[in-house]
Amino acid sequence: MNEPKDQEERVTSIQQSLADAFNTAQYRLSGHGPRKVEVLKRAFEGISGDMDSDMYGKGETIEQFQREMAEYLGKESSVFFPSGTMAQQIALRIWCDRADNKRVAYHPLCHLEIHEEDGLKELHGIKPILLADSGRLIKLEDVKSLAEPVACLLLELPQREIGGQLPAYTELEAISAYCRSKGIRLHLDGARLFEILPYYNKTAAEVCALFDSVYISFYKTIGGLAGAILAGESQFTEESKVWKRRHGGDLISLYPYILSSKYYFEERIGKMEQYYREAVELAARFEACPRVSVCPSVPVSNMFHIHFAAPKEKMEQLLCLVYEKSGVGLTGNLREAEGGESCSFEFSVGDQAAHVPAERIDEMFRQLADLSASI
């Protein structure tokens, strides 16, 4: 009678031990490091205490940053939001209202569909049309096959939930041209836009020129506290400010998010090429290990997924040993695949990778290869 409870406790213990092993490893190969208060303190080191804060979306602190981001993205105007969830729902609402059409199209694994508790549907009454199979990217033929008109198509670049895959740039251009010919607004979920620029060999403005509206994040590879930018033509962003107020997004002051976003953007935007090249090199080394594969097989950004052809519980035990023997942590959490015979995790290259001694990385891959071969 106690067996299910005992099994649950045993699994929980293993999960905790993997997280503990990762958190206590001497080095972490992924990301920028723990999100501690030091992240904010560092961003504020060079800021004068006399600087005026923003007030309810106004003031030089927020307005200057919005101008800088609009210029970088090649758009007329931009608005700083406390979250991307808020920014993207508002963008789609504006396009739906303009078209008098409450339908939008996006990928089945779009953030709005799987991570936002149906906010788009419940708060705005918008109906999503899911394009493509969940395991592949949206193609031009999917857009052309829409059975009913939509106000807007959302594309996520890269498509995170399937490993960070990207369409060919020519495919992206073709989708953009088709949408404009049909009066369909094109919105970019560019949470990781900065990270794909080295692969496309394009500027942010060149990519954003294909879209009517653009969202970017400042807490992912940029590593700020939180915050997002929504950019587009001026009338669009002015409408977004009204909706931002309606959503409660006009906090009395957003400067901790704005200043940390600006600080880490300036520090890390020039490192995207480095992160991308390191990701390609590391992915190849993971692929060389038995029972290990990566998706995409060659990364198109600093992020990719690592898959293990072994049950989650077994891999948690194996990774704990790898961390212990090499001193290098990879992840504190594994995602079990349907059927339970494999598992995976998301891996992103940031500042941490450059601080791990090469001999430790070599040892980590030796241990991973030896132990995975024994499964």
Side-chain angles (χ1 to χ4, degrees), residues 1-295:
M1 295 293 292
N2 293 329
E3 185 177 344
K5 182 178 179 181
D6 292 343
Q7 183 178 12
E8 181 180 341
E9 289 176 348
R10 180 165 57 88
V11 171
T12 300
S13 175
I14 292 171
Q15 290 173 335
Q16 289 175 338
S17 69
L18 179 64
D20 289 343
F22 176 68
N23 289 330
T24 58
Q26 185 176 0
Y27 299 99
R28 296 183 188 182
L29 193 57
S30 61
H32 296 310
R35 290 176 58 82
K36 296 184 178 180
V37 175
E38 178 63 30
V39 172
L40 179 59
K41 291 175 65 178
R42 184 179 169 197
F44 271 63
E45 281 178 355
I47 303 296
S48 169
D50 293 330
M51 175 182 282
D52 291 330
S53 72
D54 57 303
M55 294 280 288
Y56 295 115
K58 298 184 182 300
E60 189 60 18
T61 297
I62 187 169
E63 291 169 9
Q64 178 182 344
F65 189 62
Q66 289 173 164
R67 289 193 297 269
E68 291 172 355
M69 288 299 101
E71 182 178 358
Y72 181 81
L73 298 172
K75 294 300 183 185
E76 284 184 5
S77 180
S78 78
V79 180
F80 188 87
F81 280 80
S83 79
T85 296
M86 183 186 298
Q88 295 211 101
Q89 288 185 22
I90 286 171
L92 298 190
R93 175 61 186 264
I94 292 171
W95 294 136
C96 284
D97 285 352
R98 287 199 187 180
D100 193 23
N101 181 342
K102 287 287 191 176
R103 291 183 296 269
V104 299
Y106 53 56
H107 192 274
L109 298 181
C110 173
H111 193 282
L112 287 89
E113 185 68 15
I114 66 174
H115 291 306
E116 299 182 13
E117 302 292 347
D118 287 338
L120 190 68
K121 305 167 193 174
E122 298 295 332
L123 297 178
H124 298 283
I126 293 174
K127 176 186 176 182
I129 307 299
L130 305 184
L131 289 186
D133 299 327
S134 60
R136 68 168 175 85
L137 294 166
I138 292 173
K139 298 178 181 179
L140 176 60
E141 61 194 54
D142 298 310
V143 185
K144 287 183 173 181
S145 68
L146 279 165
E148 49 190 334
V150 297
C152 180
L153 168 65
L154 180 152
L155 294 181
E156 180 185 358
L157 304 178
Q159 194 74 49
R160 177 193 180 187
E161 297 291 336
I162 55 174
Q165 297 182 47
L166 275 178
Y169 199 74
T170 51
E171 179 85 1
L172 192 59
E173 290 177 312
I175 292 174
S176 175
Y178 178 80
C179 286
R180 287 180 176 166
S181 72
K182 298 298 181 181
I184 301 171
R185 297 292 188 169
L186 190 58
H187 173 76
L188 171 60
D189 178 340
R192 294 168 176 78
L193 169 65
F194 307 128
E195 294 91 312
I196 66 171
L197 300 179
Y199 175 79
Y200 275 153
N201 193 27
K202 302 289 183 182
T203 66
E206 286 173 325
V207 176
C208 292
L210 301 177
F211 295 83
D212 297 291
S213 56
V214 175
Y215 143 69
I216 56 173
S217 170
F218 289 102
Y219 76 86
K220 295 182 171 65
T221 301
I222 292 300
L225 289 186
I229 278 285
L230 182 62
E233 43 124 30
S234 296
Q235 184 180 348
F236 168 84
T237 55
E238 286 304 309
E239 289 182 54
S240 79
K241 291 178 182 178
V242 177
W243 279 105
K244 180 184 174 188
R245 178 64 61 91
R246 290 169 176 165
H247 272 250
D250 265 338
L251 309 186
I252 184 170
S253 295
L254 287 167
Y255 70 86
Y257 308 112
I258 297 166
L259 295 178
S260 71
S261 295
K262 179 179 174 64
Y263 176 85
Y264 288 107
F265 174 81
E266 291 174 351
E267 180 177 273
R268 293 182 172 135
I269 192 63
K271 297 181 180 179
M272 296 299 155
E273 179 83 26
Q274 169 193 327
Y275 299 152
Y276 165 59
R277 298 299 174 192
E278 290 175 351
V280 171
E281 293 173 6
L282 288 169
R285 298 189 71 175
F286 278 111
E287 280 272 10
C289 295
R291 307 181 75 84
V292 182
S293 61
V294 302
C295 180

